[in-house]
Every structure is written in C-alpha cells, then in structure tokens.
Amino acid sequence: MTETVDSSQKILSTVDKLWGEEVEFLQTIARFPSTIEHEGSLQLYLKDFFQNELQMDVETVEVDEKEISSLPGYAPSEWSYAGRPVVVAKAPRSIQESKGNSLLFQGHVDVVSPEPKHKWSVDPWSALQIGNRLYGRGVLDMKSGVAAMVYAYKAIQEAGYEPAADFSIKTVIEEEATGNGTLAAANAGYLADAVLIPEPFGQCPSTAQLGSIWLRIHIDTSSNLQSDRTGVGANAIEKAQTIIEALQSYREYVNRDEQKPPEFAHMKEPIDVEAGTMHSGDFASNIPVEATLEVRSAVYPGKDPAEGKQDLIDWILDKTKDDEWLREHPPSFESFGFHAEGMIMPEEDPLFARLDEAHEFVTGTRCGRQAIPVTTDARYYGLYYDTPVTCYGPSGAKMHEPDEWVDLESVKNVTKVYADFLIRWCGIHKKKGDT
C-alpha cells in the first residue's frame, strides 16, 4: 500500500510539473472551431498528438450510418461523416501481465455554436485566460475534460509508469446532436471494463441522466393563402406562437411532482422543453406562409424516446385544436437528431468506489452523487454494452452560452483525480528500462 501511495504522490506531483503545458494544450484544442461537421481538423491534431507526443497506438473509426442505423441508440443525422473520424488511442504496455481492469476515458470534441458572437466579451475561439478562468466556446463543455484525461495519462507516463491493464483514450464527434460517433466506435469493439466521461458537472459522479428527443415542426399556410378570396391567409409566425404556447404547457405538465422519478424529484424543472430554432418569413411586407420550429424535449429514464415524441406530438395537436385554422391544417412533424434514452447508473459498481477513493485522496473531501438533467454519451455503455460508466469533470459556468468559462483549478484537480483513479482501476507497472 505504501508503494502505491508513493507512486500516486509522484504522479500527482508530475501533474503539477506539467500544469503549464496542460493549459497550453487546452488552449490549443479550444481554438479549433469544432462545431458539428467541423471536428475533422481537431481530430487529426489529436491523432498526431497521441501518436507522436504520447507514443500511443492510434486507430480511427469512420461512422457508417448504414451499419449503425439498426442499432439501439441510433439517431437520424443530417450531417456528412466524411473526414470526421472517431479517434481511439491505446496505451502501449512493455509488461503484458495484467493486474487490473481495462479502462476507457472518453471525451467529445464537438461544441455548440458560439452565436450570437456579439454577446461575448471575448473572442469565443481565443481560449483567453483571465485570472484562474479560461474563456471560450467549448472550454467547459468539454475540452477541459479532454485535456484532463490526456494529461492524467501523460503524468503517469512521464513519472515512468504505465497502466497494468488495457487503457485507451477516445475522442468522439457529434455528441451534441446524435451520439452516433460513440455508437459507431462501441459497435466496432472499442470497449473496456469501465468508462469515465469528463462532463463538466463539478467533480461529482453522475448516477442518473435524462434522455433527449429532437422534433422538427412544420407549419404551411400557403394553401389557405391561395384559397382566400381576400388574398390574406393565416400568418405562419402567429400560428407558430400557438404551438410554442402548447410546448410551454407541456413543460408544465411533464414537470409536475407526480411525474418525476425519485432521482429527479428535488429538481423544479428537470424536463426542459424548448423551441431552439424558428425559421419563417423573408420580407416585412409579406405574410409568412411557412414556419419551422426545431424543438428539444428531455425524457425520463425508462421512457422510450419514440413514445416521448408521440406524447409531445399528441399534446401539441390537442392543445392547438381550439385554433380553428390549426385544427383544419395541423402541422407536420419530422424526427431528426437526438433519439436518446435516459439512464440510471448502478452506483454499487466498483467504478464508483474507486472514483470516490481517488477524489478523497486528491481533494481531502468526500465525493457526492448527482442526477444530471441532460443527455450524455454515457447512455450507450450503460444501456447497450453492459459497461459501468459515469461522468465526472471540472467546474465552470455558461455552458452553451456566451462567455463560457472553466475554472482552471478544478481542471488541475480533475486531472489528478483521473490519474489516481487510473492507478486504482488499472493498476500500474514501472516501465521496463526505467529505474
């Protein structure tokens, strides 16, 4: 035990020695504008970093929609996968004897749009450090977590050790819209005995998460316009407002206390139901005859996303039937993007015990638990691949908002916890040739 503690202390000290380098690495990857469809350049950079800087064995996985479209968890995508691989880097081992369990650290490199850019007080792609905060799109969600998992391994490597069981780092695409990157890589066999995902929820492991569905709602008033003898038809924007009111009443309904599972009972509104985009009209003096809303709704664990979509559609049709025009000309609905189930994670799994120990060793505090009212790629491992998984990552604020920032001290702590957790889960060997 003393030897293990000494090794861990040496590795944690190495995290401190590498800290300036880690911040520079985080700034470098944060300056890639890796919104969906544009992750390719960053993935190539990471592939090169894993190969040449960390001397890891690297493979890539191309997402083949035809191959994964029949799998549970697949979501219909509207983006090309050309030039956007998943990158998987495996740690080499000079000693093949295993004495621990295999482990996968996984982070996503796609980020949401920085718009409206004029609302930022800094350039969203500058990765600007101000005091102990780093600002920029994606620095919190989740490139800081990616940096932490990379430098946790690098600290072990620099200290002269290697994992005593299979260890891999995986960077995936399109987590923010479908999760198909993770699904493709898992289907290709890139799995482990446990998975840790560095979602930025403040150094507290997640034990439950919501599912998510996306729905596109089309309103077409052109037929009315053509048949109306006055030449004035229904205004599509005004009809969209009626649908938005239906969405608001649905949000109130699904967030009633009697609807909530115990894991989410303490939250006022765990189910977010929002219109994320609206497109309508092209000229101030024209009556708009088309409108399209793109809507996101969360779903509770245990709820089939298809059932959740139908519930939402039925609610909209019912709540808009008092509008004579919408009753006679109902909107049409189209599924796209997220079709994600929620998940409860069994915290009795040894994964949580080892992570608790690492957290307490590094921070001196006990580790809590939390249900997160969002969707993450953890669902694939827990629901479809029978793999223990949790999310644990840094702290910050304004995720998906202007002036997103991450607390750098939390990133350093998380890096240390990851390193110590890796030691406890995989075990470590002194690399051959090192004294």
Side-chain angles (χ1 to χ4, degrees):
M1 181 64 183
T2 302
E3 181 181 356
T4 301
V5 171
D6 290 345
S7 300
S8 186
Q9 293 285 18
K10 180 179 180 182
I11 289 165
L12 300 191
S13 296
T14 306
V15 172
D16 289 325
K17 287 168 54 179
L18 293 172
W19 176 238
E21 182 183 319
E22 181 177 346
V23 173
E24 290 180 7
F25 173 82
L26 171 54
Q27 289 176 306
T28 297
I29 63 174
R31 287 169 182 151
F32 282 85
S34 55
T35 52
I36 291 175
E37 277 197 292
H38 302 99
E39 308 100 321
S41 295
L42 177 52
Q43 289 290 66
L44 288 176
Y45 172 83
L46 289 169
K47 178 184 177 183
D48 179 76
F49 186 90
F50 295 146
Q51 284 178 328
N52 298 314
E53 179 67 24
L54 299 183
Q55 304 298 307
M56 301 180 81
D57 300 321
V58 182
E59 297 181 15
T60 58
V61 179
E62 303 291 339
V63 178
D64 183 340
E65 272 204 276
K66 184 177 180 180
E67 184 175 339
I68 66 173
S69 60
S70 62
L71 298 176
Y74 166 75
S77 175
E78 299 183 339
W79 301 277
S80 167
Y81 287 107
R84 303 167 58 211
V86 173
V87 177
V88 185
K90 185 175 180 180
R93 291 167 56 196
S94 62
I95 301 173
Q96 293 306 309
E97 177 190 359
S98 294
K99 67 176 185 180
N101 302 297
S102 62
L103 178 64
L104 170 64
F105 283 172
Q106 176 181 302
H108 67 84
V109 298
D110 58 303
V111 301
V112 300
S113 166
E115 296 297 342
K117 291 182 181 178
H118 68 274
K119 292 292 186 180
W120 287 73
S121 60
V122 300
D123 179 346
W125 304 117
S126 65
L128 180 65
Q129 182 175 351
I130 302 176
N132 208 38
R133 293 181 178 182
L134 191 71
Y135 288 83
R137 172 55 79 230
V139 295
L140 180 62
D141 184 21
M142 63 183 318
K143 290 177 179 178
S144 56
V146 171
M149 67 189 194
V150 169
Y151 272 79
Y153 171 68
K154 186 170 186 182
I156 289 171
Q157 186 184 58
E158 291 278 324
Y161 298 93
E162 63 185 21
D166 288 344
F167 168 73
S168 297
I169 295 173
K170 183 192 296 182
T171 56
V172 302
I173 63 167
E174 210 171 276
E175 187 270 355
E176 297 284 6
T178 66
N180 288 342
T182 293
L183 180 59
N187 183 56
Y190 294 99
L191 300 166
D193 293 328
V195 178
L196 185 61
I197 297 178
E199 291 287 358
F201 299 117
Q203 293 185 255
C204 184
S206 59
T207 53
Q209 64 179 47
L210 297 175
S212 182
I213 55 176
W214 283 7
L215 193 65
R216 191 174 279 131
I217 305 172
H218 298 286
I219 305 163
D220 185 346
T221 65
S222 58
S223 59
N224 190 346
L225 181 62
Q226 292 166 2
S227 63
D228 195 295
R229 286 178 295 177
T230 66
V232 178
N235 186 308
I237 292 177
E238 293 176 0
K239 299 308 173 187
Q241 178 58 36
T242 303
I243 292 174
I244 290 172
E245 291 171 0
L247 294 174
Q248 293 169 335
S249 67
Y250 183 74
R251 182 172 62 230
E252 293 177 5
Y253 167 72
V254 293
N255 282 297
R256 295 184 308 174
D257 287 345
E258 61 267 28
Q259 296 269 52
K260 298 174 184 175
E263 293 82 3
F264 298 92
H266 64 289
M267 299 181 187
K268 182 179 179 181
E269 284 193 344
I271 300 292
D272 191 20
V273 183
E274 299 288 352
T277 73
M278 177 175 173
H279 304 281
S280 186
D282 65 350
F283 189 67
S285 292
N286 287 350
I287 294 176
V289 296
E290 291 183 323
T292 299
L293 299 173
E294 292 181 336
V295 174
R296 181 257 186 183
S297 175
V299 293
Y300 288 121
K303 181 95 169 178
D304 185 331
E307 183 183 351
K309 288 179 185 178
Q310 193 59 53
D311 286 350
L312 181 56
I313 290 170
D314 291 344
W315 184 276
I316 291 170
L317 293 176
D318 180 67
K319 294 302 178 182
T320 57
K321 66 184 180 184
D322 289 341
D323 182 295
E324 181 180 356
W325 194 91
L326 284 173
R327 185 171 65 249
E328 296 179 0
H329 306 84
S332 61
F333 302 90
E334 176 189 4
S335 291
F336 77 113
F338 274 127
H339 185 86
E341 294 183 72
M343 180 178 65
I344 306 295
M345 309 171 194
E347 60 180 291
E348 65 272 12
D349 191 274
L351 162 67
F352 288 93
R354 301 293 84 76
L355 188 55
D356 285 348
E357 291 166 3
H359 175 93
E360 188 166 352
F361 182 75
V362 171
T363 68
T365 62
R366 294 185 63 83
C367 205
R369 298 285 186 269
Q370 63 179 329
I372 52 177
V374 296
T375 298
T376 80
D377 279 353
R379 67 188 182 276
Y380 291 103
Y381 299 103
L383 293 174
Y384 312 126
Y385 292 93
D386 194 27
T387 301
V389 60
T390 192
C391 300
Y392 175 102
S395 305
K398 300 194 175 181
M399 189 189 312
H400 291 211
E401 298 177 22
D403 284 349
E404 176 182 354
W405 61 269
V406 67
D407 176 78
L408 289 173
E409 190 63 30
S410 77
V411 179
K412 183 190 285 189
N413 282 336
V414 166
T415 305
K416 291 180 176 181
V417 172
Y418 289 171
D420 191 72
F421 170 68
L422 195 159
I423 295 167
R424 295 171 189 273
W425 187 261
C426 296
I428 55 172
H429 290 305
K430 197 73 174 170
K431 286 189 293 187
K432 279 187 177 180
D434 283 28
T435 58

